[in-house]
Amino acid sequence: MQIKECIVSAPGKAILHGEHAVVHGKVALAVSLNLRTYLRLQATSTSKVCINLPNINTFLSWDVTALKQLLPDSGAELGNVNELDAELVRMLRNFVGVSNGTLDTRSMAILAFLYIYLCVFAQSGELPSLTVSVWSELPTGAGLGSSAAYSVCLAAAMLCASGTIPSPLSDQENTARWGEVEMELINRWAFQGERIIHGNPSGVDNAVGTWGGILRYRSGKTTALSRVPMLRILLTNTKVPRSTKVLVAGVKDKMNKFPSIINPVLESVDAVSCTCEQTLTEMASDTPTPEHYNVLEELIDINQHHLNVIGVGHPSLDTLCRVTLARGLHSKLTGAGGGGCGITLLRPGTVACSVVQNTIQDLRDCGYDCWETRIGAAGVQQHSPLAVKEEVLEVLARY
Ligand SMILES: Nc1ncnc2c1ncn2[C@@H]1O[C@H](COP(=O)(O)OP(=O)(O)O)[C@@H](O)[C@H]1O
Ligand SMILES: C[C@@](O)(CCOP(=O)(O)O)CC(=O)O
Ligand SMILES: [Mg+2]
């Protein structure tokens, strides 16, 4: 089978409000980041399928003939794009030697890769020999949606290499995006990848990785927010490791144990997201005022308290909030919490530059990574090698 080589990328995300609540049908507001995951897919004649994941120090390969044993004899459909094929996941666990219930999310990255590879290529008729290398500018397992950016890249590359979707690149363009129909398909396969890595994802992260921009997300419905003011956001990585899968399961346990206490908290998070959206819309239609920023800051504080109540806070995040508040800035965790990253809202113009610089220094003194980010980056893209930064191309070409 002649497959099409490709390089694709997808952005990470920050959730402004609604993490965890969104898993239970509430609204989330999320933005794409200017940090991306890159994937290169190469055709080979080695009769092997190889995966190189330098961010998580994982390099593996399998014989195509061994992978063919996993295909059903009957020619029955393998892995449907709308639901996870639990039997295939079970077989893959046995195949790679991962026990059910493992917390090793690195193994989950392998399972997600093999799952999407088998399903997409089985549908197109043949399992090809290939090498996939992935490199990300995102910290992995830190709340910035690295698992979704990874899953979106896997889905886009495999759908494109198999010819299921066309390449959007043309002679004039070295970077291009797919149309709505193709992006919908990429997003659905990426969601299956997220299911393998996260257990019970809401789908918000893969939606941002696919569409990019600033999104409102609720129960599978994505709306792009076109009227949003320029927001300045500081990102801080506490570097405390955590697993989204474990944190999401912990919230579910708390809901089961104290439904009458936790459900109203999730309702209140929903109201925070809706009030934030309303405020952002007002700010975009009028000139943003200090009062608008007061509201955004109060919403951040309220949500951070709610996230502590549902059990996804961490002392490192308490420190982040305290250190930034000492400089008059408001912060909350972003993503699954339990460590990982937080966001801090900066007031444009009204905040003297020295305040931002001093805050960044204070946070670095705590041992955290801290940087100002640009939001609203493009969603999944295909690139010709000419359009990829030299250092990224160099890492991808190393394997
Ligand atoms: N660049 C990458 N290479 C390989 N696996 C990745 C990469 N980025 C993310 N992953 C997968 O996603 C997992 C982290 O996902 P998660 O716990 O949801 O954190 P987050 O999505 O916030 O970064 C990793 O352990 C790995 O399985
Ligand atoms: C906690 C949650 O709302 C976001 C998780 O994001 P991340 O994997 O921590 O980047 C889970 C989800 O929406 O699937
Ligand atoms: Mg994730």
Side-chain angles (χ1 to χ4, degrees):
M1 179 191 196
Q2 190 51 43
I3 59 162
K4 300 186 187 71
E5 302 203 344
C6 58
I7 301 178
V8 300
S9 75
K13 62 93 231 261
I15 296 184
L16 300 180
H17 289 293
E19 45 275 273
H20 289 289
V22 67
V23 175
H24 305 285
K26 312 293 187 240
V27 172
L29 300 180
V31 299
S32 57
L33 299 175
N34 58 340
L35 297 172
R36 303 183 79 83
T37 295
Y38 292 84
L39 181 154
R40 176 181 203 160
L41 186 153
Q42 293 160 278
T44 60
S45 51
T46 54
S47 300
K48 284 191 182 296
V49 170
C50 305
I51 179 124
N52 301 308
L53 305 174
N55 294 104
I56 60 169
N57 201 20
T58 299
F59 307 88
L60 291 167
S61 69
W62 303 270
D63 287 329
V64 171
T65 42
L67 287 165
K68 279 192 181 141
Q69 312 291 315
L70 298 166
L71 298 178
D73 301 329
S74 57
E77 194 188 36
L78 190 69
N80 160 332
V81 68
N82 293 315
E83 58 193 328
L84 199 64
D85 182 335
E87 178 56 17
L88 180 58
V89 176
R90 194 193 59 75
M91 285 197 298
L92 282 172
R93 282 184 192 283
N94 285 339
F95 182 74
V96 296
V98 181
S99 67
N100 197 358
T102 178
L103 298 180
D104 174 14
T105 54
R106 292 199 311 186
S107 309
M108 298 302 121
I110 297 300
L111 288 184
F113 164 70
L114 287 175
Y115 185 90
I116 297 177
Y117 166 83
L118 283 174
C119 294
V120 170
F121 285 105
Q123 274 182 14
S124 73
E126 204 184 317
L127 299 186
S129 134
L130 51 76
T131 293
V132 165
S133 304
V134 182
W135 171 255
S136 187
E137 298 166 338
L138 291 158
T140 46
L144 301 185
S146 76
S147 60
Y150 172 71
S151 299
V152 170
C153 285
L154 287 178
M158 266 145 354
L159 289 166
C160 192
S162 63
T164 313
I165 59 174
S167 161
L169 291 179
S170 65
D171 291 344
Q172 295 81 41
E173 283 176 311
N174 287 321
T175 287
R177 308 202 54 205
W178 282 274
E180 280 296 315
V181 174
E182 289 85 15
M183 286 205 285
E184 186 60 46
L185 194 61
I186 292 171
N187 187 46
R188 282 172 183 234
W189 278 113
F191 185 53
Q192 305 310 327
E194 275 281 85
R195 275 188 166 156
I196 292 173
I197 297 173
H198 275 197
N200 184 25
S202 65
V204 63
D205 290 6
N206 47 282
V208 181
T210 303
W211 277 282
I214 304 178
L215 302 181
R216 173 194 216 268
Y217 182 92
R218 180 183 192 160
S219 303
K221 187 168 181 292
T222 306
T223 317
L225 301 186
S226 47
R227 297 180 61 78
V228 176
M230 245 317 282
L231 288 181
R232 287 181 61 194
I233 288 174
L234 209 60
L235 271 180
T236 300
N237 186 359
T238 64
K239 300 192 207 160
V240 173
R242 24 93 306 148
S243 149
T244 302
K245 189 176 185 180
V246 172
L247 287 148
V248 167
V251 172
K252 181 76 189 147
D253 287 347
K254 251 198 175 48
M255 281 173 80
N256 290 339
K257 196 167 172 194
F258 304 114
S260 60
I261 297 171
I262 301 300
N263 290 338
V265 179
L266 299 183
E267 280 298 334
S268 180
V269 172
D270 186 75
V272 166
S273 296
C274 295
T275 309
C276 179
E277 183 187 353
Q278 225 176 331
T279 310
L280 292 176
T281 309
E282 268 176 42
M283 289 168 81
S285 342
D286 274 327
T287 313
T289 62
E291 287 69 35
H292 285 131
Y293 275 92
N294 290 344
V295 172
L296 292 184
E297 287 174 348
E298 272 191 78
L299 294 175
I300 287 176
D301 294 343
I302 293 168
N303 199 358
Q304 177 62 16
H305 286 302
H306 284 346
L307 288 159
N308 277 317
V309 169
I310 63 173
V312 298
H314 189 272
S316 62
L317 294 162
D318 297 340
T319 301
L320 162 66
C321 294
R322 191 171 29 78
V323 167
T324 55
L325 198 57
R327 299 274 180 196
L329 302 174
H330 296 248
S331 308
K332 66 175 273 292
L333 69 84
T334 190
C341 289
I343 52 173
T344 305
L345 181 67
L346 303 176
R347 291 181 177 230
T350 54
V351 175
C353 235
S354 62
V355 173
V356 178
Q357 288 318 315
N358 290 338
T359 308
I360 291 177
Q361 193 51 54
D362 292 346
L363 292 167
R364 290 189 177 149
D365 291 344
C366 295
Y368 301 163
D369 285 341
C370 184
W371 67 100
E372 191 174 338
T373 185
R374 271 189 292 121
I375 61 171
V380 64
Q381 295 177 320
Q382 188 182 355
H383 310 279
S384 84
L386 291 173
V388 181
K389 284 178 277 188
E390 192 115 338
E391 62 269 25
V392 175
L393 210 52
E394 200 266 314
V395 183
L396 293 175
R398 207 177 286 163
Y399 308 98

